[in-house]
Amino acid sequence: MKVLLAEDDVYLGELIVHLLKKKGVEHVDWVQEGEDAYDYALASFYDVIILDWMLPNGDGVSVCQRLRKHGYHGAILMLTAKDAVQDRVEGLEAGADDYLVKPFEIDELMARLKALSRRTFAPIQEEIVRWGAFEVNRTSHTLLKDGEQIILTPREFQLLDLLLQNRGRVLTRDIILDRIWGYDADVSMKTIDATVKLLRKKIGDEQQQLIKTVRGVGYTIEK
């Protein structure tokens, strides 16, 4: 199971991540702001997103509404200290699939996550993605340009594929680091920039017309 946790309380966030991993959840990403939750959710697929109601830089309800408006179909579980019926209705109407009131037992959270994950299916990705003169094969991890193969390293291919999956969106360096190397990896932001530079050179994008730099933020491929 792959879970995204959005919780701004550091103690509670660390505790939930620890307990989920202890219960066998293999992959848990934890963010502390609403905007980060939104970016992470759209940059990758999660079996379940756990959204705290009260978050800085975008509360859980508004993040949930934005994700649904954008077409996000994954499962969303709202966490909140509010237990009034109207609050529950507001969360569900925003697009949440389930609702859990604090404080809660980890076993109840796990039961709800399992139930939601059984109802959630990862989106089917295209095996062949065409991008201008390029053809990306996600099965064989190969790249063709005008029918000629371009040899990429695994990291370069992952980077290109990640950008193509999120065409039209700016991916921050933090998201790129997490998705390709892993957030705990001993990799500097310069490594990401160097990988982009090498990828550009191989695909003939020295003028940065294909992979665009958003200064101080990250990279994007336009639609």
Side-chain angles (χ1 to χ4, degrees), residues 159-175:
L159 174 60
L160 177 60
D161 189 39
L162 181 64
L163 290 168
L164 286 173
Q165 287 181 54
N166 293 277
R167 260 182 281 191
R169 298 186 63 245
V170 177
L171 295 185
T172 66
R173 288 177 174 83
D174 283 336
I175 288 179

Side-chain angles (χ1 to χ4, degrees), residues 192-206:
I192 297 173
D193 296 336
T195 305
V196 171
K197 184 177 181 179
L198 290 170
L199 176 59
R200 280 174 169 155
K201 184 176 181 180
K202 287 185 178 181
I203 66 175
D205 186 33
E206 287 85 352

Side-chain angles (χ1 to χ4, degrees), residues 7 12 34 62 72-73 76 82 100 113 139 141 198 209 218:
E7 170 60 65
L12 183 57
S62 64
Y72 184 84
H73 298 298
I76 297 176
K82 299 182 177 184
L100 190 57
L113 292 180
T139 302
H141 282 210
L198 290 170
Q209 296 300 309

Side-chain angles (χ1 to χ4, degrees), residues 43-219:
S44 184
F45 177 81
Y46 293 93
D47 293 288
V48 185
I49 298 175
I50 305 172
L51 272 180
D52 187 40
W53 187 290
M54 300 299 292
L55 289 168
N57 197 19
D59 61 86
V61 171
S62 64
V63 170
C64 186
Q65 288 174 329
R66 288 175 63 199
L67 286 173
R68 295 308 191 203
K69 187 176 181 181
H70 193 277
Y72 184 84
H73 298 298
I76 297 176
L77 170 69
M78 295 289 297
L79 289 184
T80 181
K82 299 182 177 184
D83 60 356
V85 173
Q86 184 54 43
D87 292 326
R88 299 188 188 198
V89 170
E90 183 180 353
L92 294 171
E93 287 185 342
D97 297 285
D98 202 356
Y99 191 103
L100 190 57
V101 178
K102 300 176 183 178
F104 53 83
E105 295 292 333
I106 189 63
D107 287 338
E108 182 181 6
L109 175 60
M110 278 302 304
R112 294 184 184 232
L113 292 180
K114 288 177 181 178
L116 288 172
S117 67
R118 285 195 295 268
R119 291 156 41 190
T120 307
F121 299 92
I124 299 173
Q125 294 183 343
E126 302 172 75
E127 289 187 0
I128 303 294
V129 177
R130 289 177 175 80
W131 170 49
F134 299 91
E135 183 178 287
V136 179
N137 188 314
R138 286 185 169 137
T139 302
S140 61
H141 282 210
T142 54
L143 173 67
L144 301 180
K145 181 179 182 181
D146 294 324
E148 296 292 326
Q149 185 172 354
I150 298 174
I151 304 299
L152 300 180
T153 67
R155 299 293 191 200
E156 291 164 355
F157 186 88
Q158 287 177 300
L159 174 60
L160 177 60
D161 189 39
L162 181 64
L163 290 168
L164 286 173
Q165 287 181 54
N166 293 277
R167 260 182 281 191
R169 298 186 63 245
V170 177
L171 295 185
T172 66
R173 288 177 174 83
D174 283 336
I175 288 179
I176 293 172
L177 171 64
D178 184 37
R179 290 292 163 268
I180 298 178
W181 284 270
Y183 210 82
D184 296 330
D186 186 18
V187 173
S188 71
M189 295 302 171
K190 289 183 178 179
T191 300
I192 297 173
D193 296 336
T195 305
V196 171
K197 184 177 181 179
L198 290 170
L199 176 59
R200 280 174 169 155
K201 184 176 181 180
K202 287 185 178 181
I203 66 175
D205 186 33
E206 287 85 352
Q207 301 302 315
Q208 303 183 24
Q209 296 300 309
L210 300 175
I211 300 174
K212 297 186 180 296
T213 301
V214 180
R215 190 174 297 277
V217 181
Y219 298 95

